[in-house]
C-alpha cells in the first residue's frame, strides 16, 4: 500500500560538447545533450561542462528547464539545488518519513531530500518518476541536518552561487548510486526524516 | 598490538563526541579513535580495494604507522613520530571515516577554512585546504574516498610528504 521509495538514479546520456561558446552551435538531435564549458555561475571555477534538463511534476505538464547542471562523470544521477527549483516535486516517503540523502564528493557534500520527477533530456523520451536529489542544507528543517552528514569537514553544498552550479548531472557508468544501501546504512547514504530528525535507513533499488 | 573490538553502538551512547583524537595527540589516542569509530585496529586486508597502491608502509625510520579499519571497510592510517605524537592521518575506502574524531581539536580549524572562500579549484571531486596549523586534502567519488591530513609544523625531520599516503 505504501509506495516504495525509489532510491537510485539511472541517467543515460550521450553528450556532445560545444566548446566554451555561450550558446549551443548544434541543432538539437536525439540522444545528444549540448554542453557548455565555462567557469560556472560565480565565474571562479575551473573549466567544467554544464548542461540542462527539463524536470516536470510527475504526470503533469508543469515543467521547468534547469540549466547550469554540472556534467559529472564520477557520480550518478540528477541532483538539483532547491533554490534552483520552481516546480513542485513530491518527496519520496518511507511510511510517514521523508527520504533524505547524503552524498560525499571529494570537495563538498550534498544533502537533501529525494524527490521524483519526470525528466526530459537530450531529445529522448520522458523518464517518468525518476528519483532525484533536491540539494538543501536546511532539510528537513533548519538546524536538523544529521550530524553524520557533517562530520567529514568538506563544505556542505549550500546554494548555486557557492557551489558554482544549479545541480549535478552524474553520468558515470553505474546504474545505481549506492548499491550497498540496500542492506547497509553508511553515512553517505539514505535517511528517513521527520521534520526535525533523520536516521539512517536502507533503500531498495528501483529497476 | 592490542586489538580493540568494541560492540557496535554501545560506545556512542551516553558520551557523544568525546573525540580524544588523533592528530596532534599521543599515540595512545589511536585506541580511543578506534573506539570512537567502532573500528578495529589493524588493516583488514581482505576488504582493501583492488588496484590501490600499498598504503602506509614507512620508508624511513622516522615514524611508525598504526592502522584502523572502520566497519565500512575504510582503512585509516595514523602516522606517529618518534616523539609519540600523531602528525598525520590518512584514509581510503568506500566511505570517509569520522574525520571530526580523527582531526580532534584541528577539525574546527579545518572545517572553518574549508567553508570559506571559493569552491575548490580542483573541482567537485578533490580539494586541498590549508588552515593555519593543519593541511587537509580530500578526494573521492561515490565509491571511493581518500583523504590526508597532517600538521606541517609537526612533520618529523626527513619525512617527505610522499611517504604519507
Amino acid at each position: 500500500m505504501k509506495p516504495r521509495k525509489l532510491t537510485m538514479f539511472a541517467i543515460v546520456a550521450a553528450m556532445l560538447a560545444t566548446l566554451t561558446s555561450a550558446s549551443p552551435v548544434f541543432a538539437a538531435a536525439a540522444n545528444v545533450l549540448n554542453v557548455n564549458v565555462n567557469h560556472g555561475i560565480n565565474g571562479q571555477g575551473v573549466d567544467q561542462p554544464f548542461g540542462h534538463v527539463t524536470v516536470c511534476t510527475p504526470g503533469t505538464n508543469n515543467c521547468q528547464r534547469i540549466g547550469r547542471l554540472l556534467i559529472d562523470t564520477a557520480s550518478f544521477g540528477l541532483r538539483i539545488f532547491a533554490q534552483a527549483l520552481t516546480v513542485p516535486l513530491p518527496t519520496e516517503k518511507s511510511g510517514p518519513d521523508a527520504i533524505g540523502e547524503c552524498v560525499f564528493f571529494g570537495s563538498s557534500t550534498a544533502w537533501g531530500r529525494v524527490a521524483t520527477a519526470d525528466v526530459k533530456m537530450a531529445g529522448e523520451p520522458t523518464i517518468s518518476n525518476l528519483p532525484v536529489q533536491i540539494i538543501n542544507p536546511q532539510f528537513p528543517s533548519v538546524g536538523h541536518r544529521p550530524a553524520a552528514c557533517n562530520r567529514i569537514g568538506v563544505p556542505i553544498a549550500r546554494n548555486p552561487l557557492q557551489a558554482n552550479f544549479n545541480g549535478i548531472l552524474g553520468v558515470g557508468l553505474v546504474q545505481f548510486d549506492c548499491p550497498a544501501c540496500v542492506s547497509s546504512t553508511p553515512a553517505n547514504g539514505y535517511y528517513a526524516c521527520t521534520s526535525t530528525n533523520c536516521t539512517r535507513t536502507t533503500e531498495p533499488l528501483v529497476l | 598490538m592490542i586489538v580493540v573490538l568494541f560492540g557496535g553502538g554501545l560506545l556512542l551512547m551516553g558520551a557523544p563526541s568525546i573525540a580524544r583524537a588523533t592528530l596532534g595527540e599521543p599515540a595512545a589516542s589511536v585506541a580511543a579513535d578506534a573506539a570512537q569509530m567502532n573500528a578495529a585496529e589493524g588493516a583488514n586486508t581482505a576488504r582493501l580495494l583492488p588496484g590501490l597502491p600499498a598504503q602506509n608502509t614507512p620508508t624511513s625510520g622516522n615514524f611508525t604507522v598504526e592502522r584502523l579499519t572502520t566497519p565500512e571497510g575504510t582503512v585509516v592510517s595514523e602516522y606517529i613520530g618518534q616523539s609519540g605524537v600523531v602528525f598525520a592521518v590518512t584514509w581510503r575506502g568506500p566511505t570517509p571515516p569520522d574525520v571530526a574524531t580523527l582531526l580532534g581539536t584541528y577539525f574546527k580549524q579545518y572545517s572553518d577554512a574549508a567553508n570559506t572562500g571559493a569552491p575548490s579549484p580542483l573541482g567537485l571531486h578533490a580539494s586541498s585546504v590549508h588552515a593555519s596549523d593543519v593541511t587537509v586534502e580530500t578526494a573521492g567519488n561515490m565509491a571511493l574516498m581518500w583523504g590526508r591530513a597532517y600538521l606541517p609544523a609537526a612533520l618529523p625531520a626527513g619525512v617527505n610528504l610522499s611517504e604519507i599516503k
Side-chain angles (χ1 to χ4, degrees):
Chain A
M1 61 177 235
K2 306 182 191 70
R4 292 310 292 170
K5 52 265 181 188
L6 311 178
T7 45
M8 311 305 170
F9 307 96
I11 293 282
V12 176
M15 295 186 298
L16 180 63
T18 69
L19 296 178
T20 55
S21 68
S23 57
V25 295
F26 295 100
N31 204 26
V32 172
L33 179 68
N34 283 315
V35 169
N36 292 315
V37 177
N38 56 49
H39 297 293
I41 290 175
N42 63 31
Q44 298 178 41
V46 293
D47 278 337
Q48 295 183 104
F50 297 88
H52 77 273
V53 302
T54 296
V55 297
C56 309
T57 304
T60 75
N61 290 319
N62 188 14
C63 301
Q64 176 193 4
R65 181 188 189 277
I66 299 181
R68 292 186 178 273
L69 301 174
L70 177 65
I71 306 296
D72 180 28
T73 58
S75 68
F76 323 106
L78 177 60
R79 305 167 198 283
I80 302 166
F81 266 110
Q83 296 96 327
L85 190 66
T86 58
V87 296
L89 298 180
T91 301
E92 290 287 350
K93 298 280 191 171
S94 173
D97 295 336
I99 296 298
E101 186 184 13
C102 177
V103 182
F104 298 138
F105 299 105
S107 69
S108 67
T109 297
W111 164 255
R113 68 187 177 103
V114 178
T116 51
D118 290 353
V119 178
K120 301 174 186 177
M121 57 184 293
E124 289 294 299
T126 298
I127 308 162
S128 297
N129 293 307
L130 183 73
V132 301
Q133 184 185 27
I134 310 302
I135 304 171
N136 180 1
Q138 298 184 342
F139 173 79
S141 55
V142 174
H144 292 102
R145 187 170 65 243
C149 197
N150 286 341
R151 293 179 70 78
I152 305 306
V154 297
I156 284 282
R158 298 185 185 283
N159 57 65
L161 187 62
Q162 169 242 16
N164 215 11
F165 49 69
N166 280 334
I168 301 168
L169 183 55
V171 294
L173 300 177
V174 178
Q175 186 176 3
F176 302 109
D177 68 345
C178 183
C181 291
V182 171
S183 58
S184 65
T185 58
N188 49 337
Y190 292 92
Y191 294 74
C193 299
T194 68
S195 61
T196 56
N197 186 51
C198 294
T199 56
R200 300 189 202 182
T201 185
T202 58
E203 279 291 302
L205 297 177
V206 171
L207 302 175
Chain B
M1 173 178 293
I2 302 167
V3 176
V4 183
L5 276 171
F6 288 98
L10 291 176
L11 285 153
L12 299 180
M13 300 167 64
S17 301
I18 297 170
R20 302 180 38 213
T22 299
L23 209 51
E25 300 268 324
S29 69
V30 173
D33 285 349
Q36 183 79 14
M37 300 189 297
N38 284 330
E41 286 198 61
N44 184 346
T45 53
R47 298 187 66 174
L48 284 179
L49 296 168
L52 294 170
Q55 194 178 18
N56 58 54
T57 302
T59 53
S60 77
N62 292 340
F63 61 90
T64 59
V65 179
E66 293 282 349
R67 300 181 198 176
L68 313 172
T69 303
T70 70
E72 293 84 10
T74 295
V75 176
V76 175
S77 300
E78 307 206 8
Y79 290 70
I80 301 157
Q82 290 177 336
S83 65
V85 169
V86 178
F87 65 87
V89 181
T90 67
W91 58 91
R92 177 186 285 122
T95 186
D98 186 337
V99 176
T101 291
L102 291 176
L103 265 60
T105 56
Y106 294 96
F107 180 75
K108 184 177 188 306
Q109 188 184 110
Y110 158 58
S111 183
D112 287 349
N115 278 283
T116 58
S120 170
L122 303 175
L124 182 64
H125 294 283
S127 72
S128 179
V129 175
H130 298 269
S132 54
D133 300 315
V134 62
T135 294
V136 182
E137 299 159 327
T138 56
N141 54 37
M142 298 178 78
L144 175 64
M145 303 297 301
W146 175 89
R148 174 168 76 171
Y150 60 93
L151 305 175
L155 283 182
V159 172
N160 191 298
L161 278 180
S162 65
E163 297 176 72
I164 303 167
K165 55 192 177 183

